[in-house]
Amino acid sequence: MKMQNQTKTIQKIVGGFLGVASASVFISLPGLAQANLNSHNSNTSKQSVIAQMSSPGGSMSNPSRNSTPGGGTMSAPTRNSTSSTTNLDTEFITKAAQSDMTEIQTSKLALQKSRNKSVRDYAQMMIKHHTESSRELKPIAQSKKVALPTTIGPDNTTLLESLKKVSGSQFDQAYMQGQVEAHTKTEAEYQKYLDQGEDPQLKAFATKILPLVTQHREMAQKMVATR
């Protein structure tokens, strides 16, 4: 099984870095809300209150759908006007993609600068796993008409640029520490979507990838602890 092979690979790399065979890692709207009343005609006066809840796309929704007993309204999850994709969906896709790009770019740099076998093995694994993750995420994003980011974002750029300035054992330490921090942040984003997200495809993706992210983080922590 693919997951078992990944586990064995990770155990082998950590074992080599720690120098022990027991180093195993567990993969773990907008719109104006008004009251909706039937118009009432009488001989002396005529009152009408028109209620309308406009969706971002301009279509009408059921006025009673989000109404409260007091006559107010409750906000529904904000969704993009062109699809059923929520802002949370878009945010998750963007951050997951940027995480993959960051891991790939920093790990390619590690292959250029590091001479430590365990660090290089870890970097090769990061490139492989995050390339596969990116490949799985792409069609999901396309199906939801969400454009994937073309840059890794400001925070990740800071990490990448800092790694370019060091070399030797300092690079190895900085790279592995960066992996701990990056994967910790990515873990939080995946868990946030599993707790708050609703899209079945994205939740299935997050459920599959989160244990691998956790595994990467734990592995990096063990490697940092030995240096």
Side-chain angles (χ1 to χ4, degrees), residues 16-224:
F17 199 88
L18 297 176
V20 294
S22 62
S24 62
V25 181
F26 294 93
I27 305 277
S28 82
L29 264 138
L32 177 65
Q34 300 174 323
N36 184 20
L37 302 173
N38 294 327
S39 88
H40 177 68
N41 296 314
S42 68
N43 292 332
T44 61
S45 66
K46 179 180 180 181
Q47 295 181 339
S48 75
V49 180
I50 302 174
Q52 171 180 304
M53 291 184 66
S54 302
S55 69
S59 60
M60 300 293 292
S61 60
N62 188 339
S64 64
R65 182 177 179 183
N66 296 315
S67 61
T68 63
T73 59
M74 296 185 300
S75 298
T78 305
R79 294 183 176 271
N80 296 336
S81 60
T82 58
S83 69
S84 62
T85 305
T86 68
N87 288 344
L88 182 61
D89 297 339
T90 301
E91 178 186 89
F92 174 67
I93 290 172
T94 299
K95 291 186 176 181
Q98 288 180 327
S99 172
D100 284 338
M101 293 167 63
T102 301
E103 297 303 334
I104 292 170
Q105 292 184 31
T106 56
S107 295
K108 285 183 176 179
L109 185 62
L111 294 181
Q112 295 173 13
K113 305 189 72 168
S114 179
R115 294 295 175 264
N116 183 291
K117 184 180 185 303
S118 294
V119 171
R120 292 176 62 83
D121 286 347
Y122 181 93
Q124 288 174 333
M125 184 176 69
M126 292 303 98
I127 294 171
K128 180 177 184 294
H129 288 180
H130 287 282
T131 297
E132 292 172 351
S133 175
S134 295
R135 190 176 295 123
E136 290 188 35
L137 181 61
K138 184 176 180 179
I140 298 176
Q142 290 176 332
S143 71
K144 301 181 186 312
K145 297 179 172 58
V146 175
L148 290 171
T150 57
T151 67
I152 62 178
D155 292 343
N156 297 323
T157 298
T158 298
L159 170 62
L160 181 62
E161 292 303 315
S162 67
L163 290 175
K164 292 179 180 180
K165 298 176 182 178
V166 293
S167 59
S169 61
Q170 287 186 328
F171 174 86
D172 294 340
Q173 182 69 21
Y175 169 71
M176 294 311 307
Q177 183 61 46
Q179 294 302 304
V180 173
E181 295 172 3
H183 283 93
T184 298
K185 182 173 68 174
T186 301
E187 268 187 299
E189 294 298 337
Y190 273 73
Q191 190 60 58
K192 175 184 176 181
Y193 192 80
L194 287 176
D195 292 341
Q196 301 178 20
E198 298 179 356
D199 184 87
Q201 275 186 299
L202 288 174
K203 294 197 77 167
F205 172 81
T207 298
K208 177 180 179 180
I209 302 300
L210 179 56
L212 197 59
V213 174
T214 300
Q215 191 182 44
H216 293 167
R217 188 259 303 159
E218 291 177 346
M219 182 179 180
Q221 286 176 322
K222 289 181 180 292
M223 293 173 71
V224 167

